[in-house]
Structures are given as C-alpha cells and as structure tokens.
Amino acid sequence: MNILVVNDDGISTNGIARLAQMATQLGKVYVVAPAGQCTAMSMRVTAFESIAISEYDFPIKGVEAAYSVGGTPVDCVAAAIRSILPQRPDIVFSGINEGYNAGFDIAYSGTIGAAMEALMNGIPAIAFSAEEKGRFDICDKYILDIAKELITVPIAKNELWNVNFPGCGMEGFKGIMRQRSVAKSCYYNNRYIKTQAYRGFMLKPKADIITLAQADKGSDIEALLNGYISIGKVKNMLI
C-alpha cells in the first residue's frame, strides 16, 4: 500500500511524525506537508503564485521520502498526486491534528480539507486529530488498530473517516464510539476582543470551548468530552 501522509500544522510537528510512524507499519509512506502552520485553511489552494517544494529530512525511519511545501494542505495533496510522488497513493492519512476536528469546526479544518482533496481525486482518506495540548497515551495505543480497521471497512466514494482522540490519559479513557454524528455546533466558539487602533480598531479571536452539557447527544463532541475515541464519517456533497 502506498500511503500519503499530510497535515495542516506543518511538516515539523509532533503529530505528523506520530502518524507517519504508524503508517510505516502498513505500507510505503510518503510525507508531503506544509512548510508552516496552515490551520483553518479548509480547501484553500494556491492559484497565482509558484509553490516552493523541497526535500525534507524527516525524522521517522522507514519513510520513503518527505517534501516540505510552501503552500496549503490541499496544495500538498494535489501536488503529491499529480507531480511529486513516483506513483499514485492508495490512501491519504491526514493529521494528527493538534486540536479536535469535530462539529462544525470540520468546515474550517485544513486537515479535513486535505482529506477532501484526496476524495476529489478518487483516493480514500482518513483524518486523525487529538486534543490540543492533550496527552497521546490513547492515540499511541489505538491508532494503528483503528487505521487497520478503517482501511478494510467499506465506505462511499464521497465519504472520509474522521477520527478524534480524547486528550485524557488512560485513567480517564472509556472506549471507542463509532458512527458518531457531526455535532451541530463548533467545539471552538470564537468571540472577538476589541482594541482601539489608529483609524479603526482591532479584533482578536479567542475561542470558548463547548461544554459536555452543550454537546449534541450521539455526536463526536459528546464522545470526546466523555473520554471516548470518536469515529465518524464526513461527506463531500460535490462527489
């Protein structure tokens, strides 16, 4: 199996290294990821500028090749498929994102955007995310088994798997919840702090986190806040 690993946090982050390490146990791994932080870029593409591509000394043994891309997560997937890789990938793994991709936040996510680009090129995809600044105990223990499971489970051509790991330690872990629906709200609810500036004012976004009491029943957010791994599907309605 040829596996393309991508993310939106940047090629030097801990999450993508963990994901690539897991992927090397499943097939040939190629990493093509943004040079810098690209959170919340959704499906943004570079339209009018050249994209800088450079080989990257990736720290994980077993990775076939790695490339740093001066563009967006979607640029990474599109360029990898059409120009960079020696062969077409069989699957795309996106993540591990630093922060949940659950609820309406998936609409903004570069992690999900990269996975959507894979679907639009006829390639299946799985997105992986974990709580920002959370622990990786649960992720490290279960991510390989979950990937093996989801690779073999039939899924529609316009759907991707969305996996989120809770940030608690093993002592707070309760299990895995599958078929979680997308919560009808954001996990990160932005409000804006206003400060005066010359000829106007500045607005700085600050995220308020949803509480368990506010989460939709049966949703991805409810599962995560209860200490479960959440597995669900996200549809691309264009396909």
Side-chain angles (χ1 to χ4, degrees), residues 82-193:
R82 300 167 194 168
S83 180
I84 298 173
L85 300 188
Q87 63 273 314
R88 183 178 173 86
D90 298 303
I91 194 166
V92 170
F93 288 169
S94 187
I96 302 168
N97 190 64
E98 297 177 2
Y100 293 144
N101 277 307
F104 285 168
D105 290 310
I106 64 174
Y108 307 105
S109 168
T111 305
I112 299 293
M116 287 291 184
E117 179 66 17
L119 294 190
M120 291 169 63
N121 284 274
I123 299 171
I126 306 175
F128 299 92
S129 303
E131 184 182 19
E132 186 179 10
K133 299 179 181 178
R135 292 166 58 178
F136 279 90
D137 309 36
I138 298 165
C139 178
D140 290 343
K141 182 172 181 178
Y142 290 97
I143 188 169
L144 177 59
D145 288 342
I146 288 174
K148 287 180 177 178
E149 172 191 336
L150 297 183
I151 286 170
T152 63
V153 175
I155 190 170
K157 291 183 178 181
N158 71 329
E159 295 177 330
L160 62 90
W161 292 110
N162 188 32
V163 182
N164 283 271
F165 297 93
C168 59
M170 292 302 299
E171 68 281 358
F173 179 57
K174 296 180 181 177
I176 301 173
M177 285 192 166
R178 297 169 174 80
Q179 300 180 351
R180 294 301 91 191
S181 62
V182 176
K184 307 304 180 188
S185 60
C186 289
Y187 177 76
Y188 305 98
N189 289 292
N190 275 349
R191 57 186 170 88
Y192 296 90
I193 300 172

